[in-house]
Amino acid sequence: MKKLIQFFVLIVAVSALLLWSIAKLNDSQGYSSGNTLTIYNWGDYIDPDLISLFTEETGISVIYETFDSNEAMMTKIQQGGTSYDIAVPSEYMIEKMIEEDLLLPIEHDKIPNLSNIDERFIDLPFDPENKYSVPYFWGTVGIVYNTAMLPGIEITSWNDLWDPTFKNEILLTDGAREVIGMGLNSLGYSLNDTNREHLLEAKSKLDLLTPNIKAIVGDEIKMLIANEEAAIGLVWSGDAADMMWENDNLDYVVPIEGSNLWFDNMVIPKTAKNIEAAHMFINFILDAEIAAINTEWVSYSTPNKEALAFMPEDMTEDERFYPPEELTEKLEVYENIGKWNLAYYNELFLEFKMHRK
């Protein structure tokens, strides 16, 4: 009998040890618990010193993970393997996450710094009354080009890119909506067009661009353009600003046919474990001086109007990155076009990439 009791005691002890080990493992993989905040954000999208400052001011440890596409972020949130307290999706994905009931409502009374946000970026169609999201950064999609490698040439239009002069000089960012969107805009169609004939027309036109395309790449596009490995790139405005910081020969333009006006907002997934800390962090990042520091580091455009006073004038007065309201009103925000239409965009983009080989 005594041996049997010792055996059960041993089983209980081993089980307790296993449970403790699993809890520690979960913590190390990003599961929120206790005084920890887990953030899921795009790469190079926050000044790392601010994370340290938040921990110093609040005593809350931050686990920080990154993604490289809205779709990758969405898949991981849906799988629920990791309990992120904050994520930073783009507008069309926020709309989709709301539809799929994946987000918690933001408690506005816990974020007094929300009053620092420019009214232009509040109450937008993808999240009326900002019930589920808070603005983080915004920008455009456009063309960056090297004026020294292309002397005497001014690019103003998507259609300029089809000029044979630019053979093997164009890098495209690896995004279906950006590239198919460029094809649609070049034909005068909406970025949110789901008409199959229009989409096939756009894909056919993109195929004609193939001789001018050097590569379709991810984040490395910033390094390649800055190092003059190619003269032209389809990029997000913040990436263009980074490149222009590295290379004075670069210029950025929003094409005359139109383009994408995008927003990345902070959200709290329903699986969040530290909701209180999530609100504290969002309020922290919306502080005017903190937002200014973050914007100078990230280089994208801030929606925080109070932060502009703490930033250099050559940054805030550059209309390539802070376009006037009359221009932004002409640009299009990506809409949630639905699963099947998005799959069709991805299919056409894959066919386009295969066409190049």
Side-chain angles (χ1 to χ4, degrees):
M1 184 65 182
K2 187 176 178 181
K3 286 186 177 179
L4 187 60
I5 292 173
Q6 286 177 334
F7 175 72
F8 279 116
V9 168
L10 179 62
I11 292 293
V12 169
V14 170
S15 299
L17 180 62
L18 281 173
L19 288 172
W20 178 83
S21 300
I22 290 169
K24 295 297 290 180
L25 182 62
N26 285 347
D27 280 349
S28 69
Q29 288 180 340
Y31 285 76
S32 297
S33 63
N35 215 24
T36 299
L37 179 73
T38 305
I39 300 174
Y40 199 28
N41 198 357
W42 299 84
D44 297 330
Y45 215 32
I46 195 168
D47 183 340
D49 288 343
L50 294 180
I51 295 176
S52 302
L53 181 60
F54 176 74
T55 298
E56 186 180 317
E57 289 186 357
T58 64
I60 298 171
S61 300
V62 175
I63 297 171
Y64 191 81
E65 295 186 17
T66 62
F67 54 84
D68 57 11
S69 74
N70 279 295
E71 288 67 29
M73 180 279 306
M74 179 68 161
T75 299
K76 206 159 182 185
I77 296 284
Q78 285 173 319
Q79 289 173 343
T82 302
S83 298
Y84 295 107
D85 298 306
I86 294 176
V88 190
S90 302
E91 68 295 309
Y92 72 96
M93 194 56 76
I94 292 170
E95 192 175 358
K96 185 175 174 61
M97 294 175 87
I98 294 171
E99 280 182 4
E100 297 194 12
D101 197 24
L102 294 174
L103 302 179
L104 288 174
I106 299 290
E107 297 178 54
H108 288 196
D109 60 329
K110 293 182 178 178
I111 309 176
N113 286 330
L114 190 58
S115 62
N116 291 338
I117 299 296
D118 190 321
E119 290 181 358
R120 283 190 294 161
F121 308 115
I122 293 289
D123 193 25
L124 293 173
F126 62 88
D127 182 19
E129 301 178 359
N130 289 87
K131 188 174 178 181
Y132 296 97
S133 71
V134 173
Y136 185 59
F137 280 110
W138 68 281
T140 58
V141 172
I143 302 167
V144 65
Y145 67 104
N146 190 310
T147 56
M149 294 173 72
L150 305 171
I153 293 177
E154 182 183 12
I155 295 177
T156 61
S157 159
W158 289 123
N159 283 297
D160 289 340
L161 301 187
W162 275 259
D163 187 329
T165 306
F166 302 147
K167 184 176 182 181
N168 204 35
E169 287 292 357
I170 298 175
L171 296 177
L172 300 181
T173 196
D174 193 4
R177 293 211 63 171
E178 285 71 26
V179 175
I180 299 294
M182 175 180 71
L184 288 168
N185 268 169
S186 74
L187 292 164
Y189 298 136
S190 165
L191 285 175
N192 299 304
D193 202 328
T194 55
N195 180 302
R196 297 300 167 104
E197 289 184 8
H198 294 172
L199 287 166
L200 285 172
E201 192 180 349
K203 194 267 180 184
S204 296
K205 184 167 182 180
L206 287 170
D207 287 346
L208 298 176
L209 186 63
T210 296
N212 289 0
I213 298 171
K214 186 166 190 171
I216 299 173
V217 292
D219 284 342
E220 60 269 35
I221 195 170
K222 291 189 286 188
M223 177 193 68
L224 294 171
I225 295 284
N227 290 343
E228 303 191 341
E229 298 291 332
I232 301 170
L234 163 68
V235 296
W236 290 285
S237 53
D239 285 353
D242 271 350
M243 298 173 206
M244 292 162 68
W245 179 262
E246 298 288 334
N247 189 326
D248 291 338
N249 294 325
L250 297 176
D251 198 1
Y252 175 76
V253 62
V254 178
I256 55 175
E257 297 95 338
S259 186
N260 170 230
L261 177 66
W262 57 261
F263 302 91
D264 290 336
N265 285 15
M266 294 176 278
V267 301
I268 302 177
K270 256 192 167 171
T271 51
K273 299 295 186 188
N274 202 339
I275 299 166
E276 192 67 25
H279 284 89
M280 289 173 65
F281 185 84
I282 292 172
N283 193 55
F284 168 81
I285 215 72
L286 262 54
D287 173 87
E289 290 187 65
I290 295 296
I293 293 169
N294 201 27
T295 304
E296 283 197 64
W297 193 91
V298 173
S299 298
Y300 278 74
S301 306
T302 179
N304 192 317
K305 65 178 186 295
E306 300 300 330
L308 300 179
F310 297 98
M311 293 165 52
E313 288 186 357
D314 61 349
M315 197 170 185
T316 60
E317 293 181 358
D318 190 335
E319 292 195 351
R320 292 170 299 184
F321 302 105
Y322 287 89
E325 193 168 348
E326 56 266 28
L327 176 59
T328 56
E329 285 178 350
K330 295 178 182 175
L331 303 177
E332 286 187 279
V333 177
Y334 287 142
E335 297 173 1
N336 174 19
I337 54 177
K339 183 168 65 175
W340 299 114
N341 287 319
L342 184 59
Y344 192 58
Y345 267 65
N346 289 333
E347 180 184 326
L348 290 178
F349 185 49
L350 181 60
E351 286 178 10
F352 165 63
K353 288 198 283 190
M354 295 300 293
H355 177 80
R356 294 183 55 250
K357 296 179 178 176

